[in-house]
Amino acid sequence: QMCIRDRRETGEFLKFNPTLPDRWDAVRFKIRRHGSILAAELTADGCSLQVTEGEGVWVQGDDGQVLLAPGDELFVAASARR
């Protein structure tokens, strides 16, 4: 089963609908996008994202599109649907 359902690259921003498999507590991974690297940690509550290298990255958050600047952190709540 996929850890992130519907991760979408629109060309303008990344959009996440985070869902962790029932048997997992958490997972950490990195995403490379246009030369930037995002560190992600997915838990049952949602996904925490942080740009660790490169320029800011546009991400669709719970409150709309935001430019995630290097060093800033964004939390995207887990989806209610399974």
Side-chain angles (χ1 to χ4, degrees):
Q1 181 175 355
M2 298 290 283
C3 297
I4 295 182
R5 183 181 300 157
D6 297 333
R7 184 195 127 216
R8 297 191 182 156
E9 164 64 69
T10 68
E12 296 178 23
F13 60 90
L14 291 174
K15 181 177 182 181
F16 293 86
N17 186 6
T19 304
L20 188 67
D22 291 332
R23 297 180 189 183
W24 293 18
D25 294 325
V27 64
R28 290 185 186 108
F29 54 95
K30 293 186 179 187
I31 300 167
R32 181 178 295 275
R33 182 173 191 275
H34 301 295
S36 294
I37 297 178
L38 288 90
E41 181 175 11
L42 182 60
T43 66
D45 295 328
C47 188
S48 179
L49 300 164
Q50 185 175 36
V51 176
T52 59
E53 291 182 34
E55 302 292 320
V57 175
W58 283 98
V59 178
Q60 176 75 38
D62 294 330
D63 297 323
Q65 297 172 18
V66 296
L67 179 58
L68 185 59
D72 289 348
E73 189 171 330
L74 175 69
F75 183 78
V76 180
S79 172
R81 67 182 172 126
R82 283 254 175 187

